[in-house]
Amino acid sequence: MNYDHKFIEKKWQERESFEVEEDSTKPKFYCLDMFPYPSGVGLHVGHPRGYIASDIVSRYKRMQGFNVLHPMGWDTFGLPAENYAIKTGVHPKITVAENVAKFKAQLKQLGLSYNWSREINTTDPNYYKWTQWIFLRMFEQGLAYEQVLPINWCPSCKTGLANEEVVAGKCERCGANVTKKNIRQWVLKITKYADRLLEDLDLLDWPEKIKEMQRNWIGKSYGADVLFKLNNGKEVKVFTTRPDTLFGVTLLILSPEHPLVESVLSELDNKQDVINYLEETKNKSDIERMEEKTGVPLSGLFAINPVNGKQIPVWIANYILSSYGYGAIMSVPAHDQRDYEFAKKYDLEIIEVVSGGELPYTGEGNLVNSGSFNGIKSSEAKDKIIKEFDSVTKSINYKLRDWVFSRQRYWGEPIPLIHCEKCGIVPEENIPLELPEVENYQPTGTGESPLAAIKEWVNVKCPKCGGDAKRETNTMPQWAGSCWYYLRFIDPDNDNALVDPQKEKYFQPVDLYIGGSEHAVLHLLYARFWHKFLYDIGVVSTKEPFLKLKNQGLIMAYDGQKMSKSKGNTVSPDEMIEKYGADSLRLYEMFLGPFEESVAWNDNGLIGTRRFLEKVWSINLVEGNIEDRLLHQTIKKVTKDIEEFKFNTAISSMMILINEWVKTGTSRENFDLFLKLLYPFAPHISQELMKDSDLSWPQFSEFLVEDDVTTIAIQVNGKFRDSVQLAKGLNQQEVENIVLEREKVKKWVSGSIKKVVFIPDKLINILV
Ligand code: ANZ
Ligand code: ZN
């Protein structure tokens, strides 16, 4: 009989079901994939890499007796469907439904063991009812607030962006240069959670790289606030990490957006220069502003250094960010790289105050030119200076900003708030507040969403006083729905609660979370924030949502480039499954290389895993029960490898075993043990061939795997040159043959061999 993958895969995909319910008699395992945004072009072979890995772990855990929750859903709000609607007039709802259907069919073909009855979709009103519900609870607690902000503005998408959505000064979505715009926004107070978001990283089994990115993003710095008095009677506060350098301050610099600038313009001797400079920087993106440091003095204004009374000039400069610290700095050119470059460029004073090296010197050292603090170590001087001067106070600063949470777009969750002139902002408790139909999806570009144009929707009666009121027309950002979706899988149809507390206690937290590392500071930080809020209001029982995180590496195209439709280098899984079968594809994607590394796709490799399965298909079964050391070693190895996410080496050890069995055949019983090992990787063929219907994970015999390998030291003329792992009990000739083939040994063995000293299982010494 031929290996007919199409028939077999269809058969088992129809037969298998992975529905779970909470069951207090069984341990649970919650294995989650980052749910996809289903795009119009469908999956390419790079996408399922993570899904296959999570499927292997899910099947493996089930075999070990865990009650495995392994769900899938769709993250369907966001710009692509909306941009498509703008272009074609097709409602995003329709586009989304089509894309979901396509993705789902593709995932099903791969034989992924999802609990499909728990499928969720973030644009389903029954789902976003609860996204709105969480927002309302945050609003009640003062965690969602309104603010007029100079926000990141994408002139092409015509919407505001969060800091996390601006990559190197460009819009994460469309690549346009991001500018600033003053606009009324809803903001979430993620900063209130900064310390907990930082500290609780220690509870997580996540890649160190991701944790470090979150730490840097939160960016906690210890230092001091320093108050500088100005000659016009006003004051400017700055944040510094180096209060020990205060005697070296030669300049006070404000960001162009600093509120003081506007108010002192009329007092300046060079008013027009300053106005010109402000005009010039306003039109530049952050990235352009970072390219070359420029500035202009505020002539006529000077500040007084609180530690020595010295008068110092006040400037504005483009490299001072309005959004960090207080938007103003004390400039110490002798010990800060940026200040040094700036002072050199404009020929400003430079005073060394920490001795230790060439300027700018940014290290530790003893203070000089610092009055009574001379000779003190800079590390100690920090606290001493803070103690000594009232205008210098201990302070902590974070890079993390509050999360700009509103978007001026159509295809997002409506923010369920009502503006009433009499009552202020009133929550809309009648949720879900559904998106109305619109005729035009085009953003207005005025800072209002297309919803603002729908009068019947906007104009409402105030729920409090019954008077005329208006709905909020901003919508939520695309990240909202993914902040809590892992909770809804636990209880997807609950109409009365976001999640039933009993069920939540059973299934939370997510034990294993698999997805791309591009979410390091976006989704993964936002979700932790919402989770902590839900913990505080008693909705969830764990401090953190995702215990263990694994990031899959990318699958690159043949040409080593990222796969993308536009480059025309994508490979479709449909075609590969049709030709070679889902089992071959699953094996190949895991065999390609270490899970967390990028690897290049190659069709030939897929032919290799297909051949392997054909060998499995036609293994010769012999009578009797044979004790098989290699089988038991393979069981041990595959078990360990799955635990360690080394799917590629697990597969190669199964290949070694099969190559052996091609020569020797094996017993029915041994073959069934092997098929169980293969099952998580290639579930269809293994079930087709299995006689034993009990799907429990095989145990290896300790006796059979016991130390039958040994390390033999290799010497040449008594000098250690190499070592090799070999089976125990080989005789001198066998070991000699192997050893003499090794490169490291060949190098030393020239001419004829005079004598060989051999200690079995331990050492071989070749004398030449
Ligand atoms: C004086 C000084 C002397 C500084 C020195 C550094 C070295 P981190 O560590 O990232 O928190 N700074 C403060 N606010 C700023 C702003 N709005 N835009 C640009 N730079 C700003 O950085 C803190 C340091 O960044 C602060 O300490 C300040 O420069 C600068 F030898 O103050 B420092
Ligand atoms: Zn009212």
Side-chain angles (χ1 to χ4, degrees):
M1 221 177 31
N2 272 337
Y3 168 34
D4 177 357
H5 66 263
K6 279 187 204 164
F7 170 78
I8 294 168
E9 290 178 358
K10 187 159 178 284
K11 168 177 157 189
W12 289 101
Q13 281 167 21
E14 279 164 9
R15 232 178 247 194
E16 282 197 300
S17 152
F18 305 93
E19 305 295 310
V20 291
E21 288 305 329
E22 44 294 353
D23 175 354
S24 57
T25 65
K26 266 176 145 188
K28 66 92 188 184
F29 189 84
Y30 188 175
C31 184
L32 184 66
D33 291 303
M34 287 185 189
F35 68 161
Y37 177 89
S39 73
V41 295
L43 296 173
H44 62 61
V45 289
H47 295 122
R49 195 177 187 198
Y51 306 153
I52 296 168
S54 69
D55 194 60
I56 290 170
V57 175
S58 295
R59 288 176 187 267
Y60 165 75
K61 287 284 176 183
R62 282 187 203 104
M63 294 171 86
Q64 288 186 323
F66 286 89
N67 195 23
V68 176
L69 176 58
H70 186 43
M72 183 42 97
W74 320 103
D75 189 15
T76 42
F77 274 127
L79 285 178
E82 180 164 347
N83 288 341
Y84 187 73
I86 291 170
K87 247 200 270 164
T88 61
V90 177
H91 196 288
K93 242 193 311 206
I94 297 170
T95 318
V96 161
E98 285 170 5
N99 296 351
V100 163
K102 188 185 277 173
F103 262 59
K104 190 170 175 182
Q106 283 187 302
L107 294 185
K108 285 201 156 179
Q109 276 187 30
L110 279 158
L112 301 171
S113 61
Y114 292 124
N115 184 161
W116 282 113
S117 70
R118 292 174 184 264
E119 180 179 352
I120 57 175
N121 184 328
T122 55
T123 51
D124 175 353
N126 291 326
Y127 179 87
Y128 69 68
K129 169 181 175 178
W130 297 104
T131 313
Q132 292 173 333
W133 183 88
I134 299 171
F135 178 86
L136 288 178
R137 302 291 82 75
M138 287 190 164
F139 174 73
E140 278 167 8
Q141 310 248 336
L143 283 172
Y145 64 96
E146 245 182 332
Q147 204 174 32
V148 175
L149 277 177
I151 58 146
N152 302 308
W153 176 260
C154 173
S156 151
C157 295
K158 296 198 173 110
T159 186
L161 302 172
N163 286 349
E164 290 83 349
E165 289 169 306
V166 181
V167 179
K170 296 191 189 311
C171 172
E172 192 226 14
R173 279 255 156 248
C174 76
N177 276 339
V178 172
T179 59
K180 297 272 176 201
K181 188 176 172 115
N182 270 320
I183 175 168
R184 185 187 61 89
Q185 296 284 348
W186 282 98
V187 183
L188 298 187
K189 222 180 247 173
I190 188 174
T191 52
K192 186 185 164 198
Y193 287 82
D195 276 322
R196 284 162 67 188
L197 288 168
L198 197 60
E199 281 155 23
D200 290 349
L201 283 172
D202 293 341
L203 307 173
L204 303 177
D205 178 6
W206 282 21
E208 200 42 51
K209 194 180 72 188
I210 303 278
K211 291 208 237 179
E212 201 48 31
M213 283 171 80
Q214 293 213 348
R215 283 187 197 108
N216 289 337
W217 192 264
I218 296 166
K220 186 174 187 176
S221 302
Y222 297 85
D225 289 349
V226 186
L227 210 53
F228 285 81
K229 288 207 162 64
L230 303 184
N231 58 333
N232 68 359
K234 294 190 169 137
E235 285 178 340
V236 171
K237 202 197 263 184
V238 305
F239 171 73
T240 178
T241 47
R242 296 290 304 272
D244 51 312
T245 63
L246 257 162
F247 286 87
V249 176
T250 58
L251 208 57
L252 185 76
I253 315 182
L254 311 176
S255 77
E257 296 82 5
H258 196 286
L260 189 95
V261 179
E262 199 63 49
S263 72
V264 297
L265 270 181
S266 59
E267 305 165 25
L268 302 178
D269 303 337
N270 61 341
K271 179 175 168 190
Q272 197 49 48
D273 288 353
V274 174
I275 291 174
N276 293 347
Y277 183 78
L278 292 176
E279 208 41 53
E280 194 185 304
T281 45
K282 203 174 88 187
N283 294 325
K284 288 200 170 140
S285 65
D286 277 357
I287 190 106
E288 287 169 314
R289 274 173 59 164
M290 290 301 144
E291 273 161 15
E292 202 205 339
K293 293 177 192 64
T294 61
V296 61
L298 301 181
S299 299
L301 208 59
F302 60 85
I304 294 150
N305 187 336
V307 297
N308 56 10
K310 189 179 150 105
Q311 296 193 352
I312 52 171
V314 182
W315 283 55
I316 53 177
N318 63 353
Y319 73 100
I320 311 306
L321 307 167
S322 60
S323 58
Y324 190 61
Y326 303 104
I329 67 153
M330 56 181 237
S331 172
V332 186
H335 303 291
D336 182 272
Q337 180 68 36
R338 293 166 302 178
D339 294 347
Y340 183 79
E341 286 167 29
F342 193 74
K344 279 281 172 198
K345 175 168 178 175
Y346 292 104
D347 203 15
L348 301 163
E349 194 183 7
I350 299 174
I351 303 174
E352 180 183 22
V353 289
V354 179
S355 63
E358 225 180 285
L359 301 187
Y361 174 66
T362 57
E364 300 282 330
N366 291 336
L367 261 51
V368 293
N369 298 322
S370 299
S372 62
F373 296 89
N374 282 343
I376 297 175
K377 265 200 257 163
S378 49
S379 54
E380 287 159 24
K382 285 183 180 169
D383 277 340
K384 291 216 159 95
I385 288 179
I386 290 170
K387 275 216 186 80
E388 177 85 16
F389 301 98
D390 288 344
S391 345
V392 188
T393 49
K394 230 189 182 77
S395 169
I396 292 172
N397 223 294
Y398 299 87
K399 290 215 167 63
L400 186 70
R401 302 286 92 178
D402 278 343
W403 176 12
V404 177
F405 192 69
S406 42
R407 297 294 180 272
Q408 297 70 48
R409 300 293 299 231
Y410 172 70
W411 193 231
E413 299 88 345
I415 292 179
L417 293 174
I418 292 165
H419 298 263
C420 169
E421 271 186 22
K422 229 167 90 197
C423 314
I425 298 167
V426 184
E428 166 70 89
E429 292 292 354
N430 192 9
I431 49 175
L433 170 61
E434 293 196 32
L435 267 175
E437 300 287 329
V438 287
E439 263 151 42
N440 190 359
Y441 302 95
Q442 197 81 42
T444 56
T446 60
E448 280 189 304
S449 90
L451 293 179
I454 311 169
K455 295 283 166 276
E456 324 75 90
W457 190 79
V458 172
N459 295 317
V460 285
K461 295 290 171 215
C462 168
K464 253 194 192 160
C465 71
D468 286 343
K470 284 191 186 317
R471 283 196 196 286
E472 172 64 49
T473 57
N474 281 318
T475 53
M476 298 188 197
Q478 99 205 64
W479 310 102
S482 59
C483 277
W484 69 280
Y485 75 111
Y486 56 92
L487 294 171
R488 195 61 178 170
F489 282 131
I490 294 174
D491 196 8
D493 302 317
N494 195 333
D495 267 343
N496 304 314
L498 185 159
V499 60
D500 174 81
Q502 231 39 52
K503 297 184 180 183
E504 186 277 332
K505 275 199 191 70
Y506 179 72
F507 278 119
Q508 262 291 295
V510 171
D511 296 283
L512 175 63
Y513 195 26
I514 298 185
S517 59
E518 69 275 15
H519 296 294
V521 286
L522 293 158
H523 161 60
L524 286 172
L525 193 63
Y526 295 151
R528 292 183 62 222
F529 160 43
W530 279 38
H531 191 88
K532 289 187 182 303
F533 171 71
L534 293 173
Y535 178 79
D536 290 349
I537 63 168
V539 174
V540 299
S541 57
T542 64
K543 284 189 178 172
E544 286 285 333
F546 317 119
L547 277 192
K548 181 177 176 129
L549 175 73
K550 281 281 180 186
N551 299 127
Q552 77 271 16
L554 289 174
I555 293 186
M556 308 298 234
Y558 316 84
D559 50 8
Q561 287 190 292
K562 245 178 119 161
M563 280 195 190
S564 83
K565 197 82 190 166
S566 60
K567 290 197 200 109
N569 60 3
T570 58
V571 179
S572 154
D574 306 11
E575 197 185 311
M576 296 295 122
I577 290 172
E578 167 79 19
K579 236 166 139 178
Y580 304 104
D583 282 338
S584 298
L585 178 63
R586 291 169 60 110
L587 276 173
Y588 177 55
E589 295 219 357
M590 293 299 103
F591 187 58
L592 261 168
F595 180 69
E596 282 156 294
E597 288 173 20
S598 289
V599 286
W601 178 266
N602 179 342
D603 279 3
N604 287 332
L606 190 50
I607 297 171
T609 52
R610 165 80 195 191
R611 289 224 178 96
F612 163 65
L613 291 182
E614 281 168 2
K615 286 182 199 167
V616 172
W617 185 256
S618 47
I619 285 293
N620 198 21
L621 293 183
V622 296
E623 288 297 318
N625 190 11
I626 313 154
E627 272 196 352
D628 190 324
R629 273 174 185 273
L630 187 57
L631 169 63
H632 283 263
Q633 284 160 9
T634 309
I635 296 173
K636 186 175 179 184
K637 170 99 177 119
V638 171
T639 309
K640 188 160 176 278
D641 281 353
I642 292 179
E643 295 284 349
E644 293 173 359
F645 264 70
K646 293 180 184 157
F647 307 112
N648 56 331
T649 55
I651 294 169
S652 59
S653 64
M654 289 191 275
M655 288 174 165
I656 291 169
L657 178 67
I658 287 303
N659 284 339
E660 195 54 35
W661 283 358
V662 166
K663 288 181 246 160
T664 61
T666 190
S667 68
R668 177 76 251 174
E669 204 169 313
N670 283 343
F671 192 46
D672 269 359
L673 284 177
F674 165 78
L675 290 171
K676 289 181 189 180
L677 286 188
L678 183 63
Y679 167 80
F681 298 83
H684 313 93
I685 188 176
S686 21
Q687 289 185 97
E688 185 69 22
L689 291 171
M690 223 177 273
K691 278 282 166 306
D692 185 353
S693 62
D694 158 45
L695 271 178
S696 59
W697 190 248
Q699 302 294 310
F700 55 86
S701 146
E702 281 294 349
F703 167 71
L704 286 177
V705 297
E706 209 177 88
D707 250 7
D708 52 354
V709 287
T710 178
T711 306
I712 295 185
I714 307 168
Q715 297 181 343
V716 180
N717 290 340
K719 274 219 171 85
F720 176 81
R721 295 297 182 195
D722 196 3
S723 71
V724 61
Q725 288 215 329
L726 293 174
K728 271 188 181 166
L730 298 186
N731 66 29
Q732 178 177 331
Q733 195 55 55
E734 288 169 315
V735 173
E736 212 179 295
N737 290 345
I738 293 166
V739 160
L740 289 174
E741 285 303 309
R742 296 174 71 83
E743 287 309 325
K744 278 197 196 155
V745 178
K746 275 191 196 162
K747 214 166 71 185
W748 301 101
V749 181
S750 55
S752 60
I753 296 170
K754 294 223 174 75
K755 193 180 164 196
V756 173
V757 180
F758 180 65
I759 305 170
D761 295 340
K762 289 221 164 68
L763 175 136
I764 184 162
N765 183 7
I766 299 156
L767 300 161
V768 293

